[in-house]
PDB file of all heavy atoms in Angstrom:
ATOM      1  N   ASP A 174     -28.121  -2.925  -4.109  1.00 98.00           N
ATOM      2  CA  ASP A 174     -28.245  -3.913  -3.038  1.00 98.00           C
ATOM      3  C   ASP A 174     -28.545  -3.150  -1.752  1.00 98.00           C
ATOM      4  O   ASP A 174     -27.692  -2.452  -1.208  1.00 98.00           O
ATOM      5  CB  ASP A 174     -26.940  -4.702  -2.895  1.00 98.00           C
ATOM      6  CG  ASP A 174     -27.039  -5.808  -1.863  1.00 98.00           C
ATOM      7  OD1 ASP A 174     -28.132  -6.026  -1.303  1.00 98.00           O
ATOM      8  OD2 ASP A 174     -26.004  -6.452  -1.602  1.00 98.00           O
ATOM      9  N   THR A 175     -29.765  -3.274  -1.254  1.00 97.00           N
ATOM     10  CA  THR A 175     -30.205  -2.455  -0.129  1.00 97.00           C
ATOM     11  C   THR A 175     -29.521  -2.881   1.162  1.00 97.00           C
ATOM     12  O   THR A 175     -29.642  -4.021   1.594  1.00 97.00           O
ATOM     13  CB  THR A 175     -31.731  -2.551   0.049  1.00 97.00           C
ATOM     14  OG1 THR A 175     -32.367  -2.186  -1.168  1.00 97.00           O
ATOM     15  CG2 THR A 175     -32.190  -1.628   1.165  1.00 97.00           C
ATOM     16  N   ARG A 176     -28.789  -1.953   1.746  1.00 95.00           N
ATOM     17  CA  ARG A 176     -28.228  -2.104   3.091  1.00 95.00           C
ATOM     18  C   ARG A 176     -29.066  -1.224   4.007  1.00 95.00           C
ATOM     19  O   ARG A 176     -29.045  -0.007   3.906  1.00 95.00           O
ATOM     20  CB  ARG A 176     -26.758  -1.651   3.140  1.00 95.00           C
ATOM     21  CG  ARG A 176     -25.815  -2.352   2.172  1.00 95.00           C
ATOM     22  CD  ARG A 176     -25.569  -3.795   2.566  1.00 95.00           C
ATOM     23  NE  ARG A 176     -26.518  -4.689   1.912  1.00 95.00           N
ATOM     24  CZ  ARG A 176     -26.714  -5.955   2.270  1.00 95.00           C
ATOM     25  NH1 ARG A 176     -26.059  -6.459   3.292  1.00 95.00           N
ATOM     26  NH2 ARG A 176     -27.568  -6.702   1.610  1.00 95.00           N
ATOM     27  N   TRP A 177     -29.820  -1.861   4.899  1.00 94.00           N
ATOM     28  CA  TRP A 177     -30.805  -1.104   5.656  1.00 94.00           C
ATOM     29  C   TRP A 177     -30.183  -0.108   6.630  1.00 94.00           C
ATOM     30  O   TRP A 177     -30.845   0.821   7.077  1.00 94.00           O
ATOM     31  CB  TRP A 177     -31.764  -2.058   6.371  1.00 94.00           C
ATOM     32  CG  TRP A 177     -32.645  -2.759   5.374  1.00 94.00           C
ATOM     33  CD1 TRP A 177     -32.654  -4.075   5.048  1.00 94.00           C
ATOM     34  CD2 TRP A 177     -33.624  -2.141   4.526  1.00 94.00           C
ATOM     35  NE1 TRP A 177     -33.565  -4.325   4.056  1.00 94.00           N
ATOM     36  CE2 TRP A 177     -34.186  -3.162   3.719  1.00 94.00           C
ATOM     37  CE3 TRP A 177     -34.084  -0.830   4.373  1.00 94.00           C
ATOM     38  CZ2 TRP A 177     -35.183  -2.903   2.785  1.00 94.00           C
ATOM     39  CZ3 TRP A 177     -35.072  -0.570   3.436  1.00 94.00           C
ATOM     40  CH2 TRP A 177     -35.607  -1.606   2.656  1.00 94.00           C
ATOM     41  N   GLN A 178     -28.877  -0.276   6.927  1.00 93.00           N
ATOM     42  CA  GLN A 178     -28.200   0.754   7.723  1.00 93.00           C
ATOM     43  C   GLN A 178     -28.067   2.044   6.932  1.00 93.00           C
ATOM     44  O   GLN A 178     -27.954   3.127   7.494  1.00 93.00           O
ATOM     45  CB  GLN A 178     -26.807   0.280   8.154  1.00 93.00           C
ATOM     46  CG  GLN A 178     -26.783  -1.025   8.934  1.00 93.00           C
ATOM     47  CD  GLN A 178     -26.509  -2.210   8.017  1.00 93.00           C
ATOM     48  OE1 GLN A 178     -27.023  -2.288   6.902  1.00 93.00           O
ATOM     49  NE2 GLN A 178     -25.695  -3.134   8.497  1.00 93.00           N
ATOM     50  N   PHE A 179     -28.032   1.928   5.582  1.00 94.00           N
ATOM     51  CA  PHE A 179     -27.941   3.097   4.705  1.00 94.00           C
ATOM     52  C   PHE A 179     -28.518   2.711   3.344  1.00 94.00           C
ATOM     53  O   PHE A 179     -27.797   2.346   2.417  1.00 94.00           O
ATOM     54  CB  PHE A 179     -26.480   3.552   4.569  1.00 94.00           C
ATOM     55  CG  PHE A 179     -26.347   4.914   3.930  1.00 94.00           C
ATOM     56  CD1 PHE A 179     -26.683   6.064   4.618  1.00 94.00           C
ATOM     57  CD2 PHE A 179     -25.901   5.030   2.622  1.00 94.00           C
ATOM     58  CE1 PHE A 179     -26.577   7.315   4.028  1.00 94.00           C
ATOM     59  CE2 PHE A 179     -25.794   6.277   2.013  1.00 94.00           C
ATOM     60  CZ  PHE A 179     -26.126   7.417   2.727  1.00 94.00           C
ATOM     61  N   PRO A 180     -29.840   2.791   3.182  1.00 96.00           N
ATOM     62  CA  PRO A 180     -30.494   2.260   1.981  1.00 96.00           C
ATOM     63  C   PRO A 180     -30.556   3.209   0.800  1.00 96.00           C
ATOM     64  O   PRO A 180     -30.977   2.808  -0.290  1.00 96.00           O
ATOM     65  CB  PRO A 180     -31.912   1.967   2.493  1.00 96.00           C
ATOM     66  CG  PRO A 180     -32.144   3.032   3.522  1.00 96.00           C
ATOM     67  CD  PRO A 180     -30.810   3.227   4.209  1.00 96.00           C
ATOM     68  N   PHE A 181     -30.147   4.447   0.969  1.00 95.00           N
ATOM     69  CA  PHE A 181     -30.425   5.478  -0.036  1.00 95.00           C
ATOM     70  C   PHE A 181     -29.797   5.217  -1.409  1.00 95.00           C
ATOM     71  O   PHE A 181     -30.452   5.437  -2.435  1.00 95.00           O
ATOM     72  CB  PHE A 181     -30.015   6.851   0.503  1.00 95.00           C
ATOM     73  CG  PHE A 181     -30.653   7.165   1.828  1.00 95.00           C
ATOM     74  CD1 PHE A 181     -29.904   7.124   2.998  1.00 95.00           C
ATOM     75  CD2 PHE A 181     -32.005   7.460   1.917  1.00 95.00           C
ATOM     76  CE1 PHE A 181     -30.483   7.396   4.222  1.00 95.00           C
ATOM     77  CE2 PHE A 181     -32.598   7.725   3.140  1.00 95.00           C
ATOM     78  CZ  PHE A 181     -31.837   7.689   4.294  1.00 95.00           C
ATOM     79  N   PRO A 182     -28.530   4.761  -1.499  1.00 96.00           N
ATOM     80  CA  PRO A 182     -27.994   4.483  -2.844  1.00 96.00           C
ATOM     81  C   PRO A 182     -28.800   3.430  -3.596  1.00 96.00           C
ATOM     82  O   PRO A 182     -29.020   3.552  -4.808  1.00 96.00           O
ATOM     83  CB  PRO A 182     -26.565   4.004  -2.557  1.00 96.00           C
ATOM     84  CG  PRO A 182     -26.212   4.649  -1.260  1.00 96.00           C
ATOM     85  CD  PRO A 182     -27.485   4.628  -0.470  1.00 96.00           C
ATOM     86  N   ALA A 183     -29.247   2.411  -2.881  1.00 97.00           N
ATOM     87  CA  ALA A 183     -30.043   1.366  -3.530  1.00 97.00           C
ATOM     88  C   ALA A 183     -31.379   1.918  -4.016  1.00 97.00           C
ATOM     89  O   ALA A 183     -31.844   1.593  -5.123  1.00 97.00           O
ATOM     90  CB  ALA A 183     -30.271   0.206  -2.572  1.00 97.00           C
ATOM     91  N   LEU A 184     -32.002   2.764  -3.201  1.00 96.00           N
ATOM     92  CA  LEU A 184     -33.304   3.312  -3.570  1.00 96.00           C
ATOM     93  C   LEU A 184     -33.224   4.201  -4.800  1.00 96.00           C
ATOM     94  O   LEU A 184     -34.203   4.338  -5.541  1.00 96.00           O
ATOM     95  CB  LEU A 184     -33.887   4.099  -2.386  1.00 96.00           C
ATOM     96  CG  LEU A 184     -34.204   3.275  -1.129  1.00 96.00           C
ATOM     97  CD1 LEU A 184     -34.647   4.199  -0.001  1.00 96.00           C
ATOM     98  CD2 LEU A 184     -35.282   2.230  -1.417  1.00 96.00           C
ATOM     99  N   ALA A 185     -32.065   4.808  -5.030  1.00 97.00           N
ATOM    100  CA  ALA A 185     -31.902   5.725  -6.165  1.00 97.00           C
ATOM    101  C   ALA A 185     -31.265   5.056  -7.375  1.00 97.00           C
ATOM    102  O   ALA A 185     -30.993   5.732  -8.375  1.00 97.00           O
ATOM    103  CB  ALA A 185     -31.058   6.928  -5.734  1.00 97.00           C
ATOM    104  N   THR A 186     -31.039   3.748  -7.322  1.00 98.00           N
ATOM    105  CA  THR A 186     -30.363   3.060  -8.429  1.00 98.00           C
ATOM    106  C   THR A 186     -31.312   2.858  -9.602  1.00 98.00           C
ATOM    107  O   THR A 186     -32.422   2.356  -9.445  1.00 98.00           O
ATOM    108  CB  THR A 186     -29.800   1.709  -7.953  1.00 98.00           C
ATOM    109  OG1 THR A 186     -28.773   1.960  -6.996  1.00 98.00           O
ATOM    110  CG2 THR A 186     -29.224   0.914  -9.107  1.00 98.00           C
ATOM    111  N   TRP A 187     -30.836   3.216 -10.770  1.00 98.00           N
ATOM    112  CA  TRP A 187     -31.652   3.182 -11.984  1.00 98.00           C
ATOM    113  C   TRP A 187     -31.917   1.754 -12.463  1.00 98.00           C
ATOM    114  O   TRP A 187     -33.067   1.348 -12.662  1.00 98.00           O
ATOM    115  CB  TRP A 187     -30.941   3.988 -13.073  1.00 98.00           C
ATOM    116  CG  TRP A 187     -31.436   3.743 -14.466  1.00 98.00           C
ATOM    117  CD1 TRP A 187     -32.687   4.024 -14.952  1.00 98.00           C
ATOM    118  CD2 TRP A 187     -30.695   3.181 -15.558  1.00 98.00           C
ATOM    119  NE1 TRP A 187     -32.769   3.666 -16.286  1.00 98.00           N
ATOM    120  CE2 TRP A 187     -31.561   3.155 -16.678  1.00 98.00           C
ATOM    121  CE3 TRP A 187     -29.384   2.721 -15.698  1.00 98.00           C
ATOM    122  CZ2 TRP A 187     -31.154   2.668 -17.915  1.00 98.00           C
ATOM    123  CZ3 TRP A 187     -28.979   2.249 -16.930  1.00 98.00           C
ATOM    124  CH2 TRP A 187     -29.856   2.221 -18.026  1.00 98.00           C
ATOM    125  N   ASP A 188     -30.867   0.919 -12.650  1.00 98.00           N
ATOM    126  CA  ASP A 188     -31.027  -0.412 -13.230  1.00 98.00           C
ATOM    127  C   ASP A 188     -30.094  -1.380 -12.500  1.00 98.00           C
ATOM    128  O   ASP A 188     -28.872  -1.303 -12.649  1.00 98.00           O
ATOM    129  CB  ASP A 188     -30.708  -0.378 -14.722  1.00 98.00           C
ATOM    130  CG  ASP A 188     -31.085  -1.673 -15.434  1.00 98.00           C
ATOM    131  OD1 ASP A 188     -30.673  -2.747 -14.963  1.00 98.00           O
ATOM    132  OD2 ASP A 188     -31.777  -1.602 -16.479  1.00 98.00           O
ATOM    133  N   LYS A 189     -30.661  -2.283 -11.733  1.00 98.00           N
ATOM    134  CA  LYS A 189     -29.854  -3.165 -10.886  1.00 98.00           C
ATOM    135  C   LYS A 189     -29.055  -4.183 -11.694  1.00 98.00           C
ATOM    136  O   LYS A 189     -27.929  -4.525 -11.322  1.00 98.00           O
ATOM    137  CB  LYS A 189     -30.763  -3.876  -9.876  1.00 98.00           C
ATOM    138  CG  LYS A 189     -31.394  -2.914  -8.875  1.00 98.00           C
ATOM    139  CD  LYS A 189     -32.296  -3.616  -7.879  1.00 98.00           C
ATOM    140  CE  LYS A 189     -32.878  -2.618  -6.892  1.00 98.00           C
ATOM    141  NZ  LYS A 189     -33.749  -3.273  -5.890  1.00 98.00           N
ATOM    142  N   ASP A 190     -29.611  -4.670 -12.785  1.00 98.00           N
ATOM    143  CA  ASP A 190     -28.867  -5.626 -13.611  1.00 98.00           C
ATOM    144  C   ASP A 190     -27.648  -4.964 -14.251  1.00 98.00           C
ATOM    145  O   ASP A 190     -26.565  -5.554 -14.304  1.00 98.00           O
ATOM    146  CB  ASP A 190     -29.780  -6.212 -14.698  1.00 98.00           C
ATOM    147  CG  ASP A 190     -30.840  -7.132 -14.128  1.00 98.00           C
ATOM    148  OD1 ASP A 190     -30.477  -8.038 -13.353  1.00 98.00           O
ATOM    149  OD2 ASP A 190     -32.024  -6.948 -14.447  1.00 98.00           O
ATOM    150  N   VAL A 191     -27.816  -3.764 -14.728  1.00 98.00           N
ATOM    151  CA  VAL A 191     -26.691  -3.028 -15.310  1.00 98.00           C
ATOM    152  C   VAL A 191     -25.665  -2.706 -14.227  1.00 98.00           C
ATOM    153  O   VAL A 191     -24.449  -2.785 -14.446  1.00 98.00           O
ATOM    154  CB  VAL A 191     -27.193  -1.748 -16.006  1.00 98.00           C
ATOM    155  CG1 VAL A 191     -26.024  -0.911 -16.503  1.00 98.00           C
ATOM    156  CG2 VAL A 191     -28.121  -2.098 -17.163  1.00 98.00           C
ATOM    157  N   ALA A 192     -26.154  -2.344 -13.036  1.00 98.00           N
ATOM    158  CA  ALA A 192     -25.244  -2.048 -11.925  1.00 98.00           C
ATOM    159  C   ALA A 192     -24.397  -3.260 -11.567  1.00 98.00           C
ATOM    160  O   ALA A 192     -23.202  -3.129 -11.250  1.00 98.00           O
ATOM    161  CB  ALA A 192     -26.053  -1.588 -10.709  1.00 98.00           C
ATOM    162  N   LEU A 193     -24.987  -4.445 -11.612  1.00 98.00           N
ATOM    163  CA  LEU A 193     -24.236  -5.664 -11.310  1.00 98.00           C
ATOM    164  C   LEU A 193     -23.124  -5.885 -12.337  1.00 98.00           C
ATOM    165  O   LEU A 193     -21.990  -6.234 -11.974  1.00 98.00           O
ATOM    166  CB  LEU A 193     -25.177  -6.866 -11.285  1.00 98.00           C
ATOM    167  CG  LEU A 193     -24.510  -8.223 -11.040  1.00 98.00           C
ATOM    168  CD1 LEU A 193     -23.828  -8.272  -9.678  1.00 98.00           C
ATOM    169  CD2 LEU A 193     -25.536  -9.354 -11.170  1.00 98.00           C
TER     170      LEU A 193
END
Side-chain angles (χ1 to χ4, degrees):
D174 184 4
T175 304
R176 303 290 92 194
W177 291 113
Q178 303 96 319
F179 192 73
F181 306 106
L184 296 175
T186 294
W187 164 64
D188 190 308
K189 294 180 179 181
D190 290 309
V191 175
L193 177 62

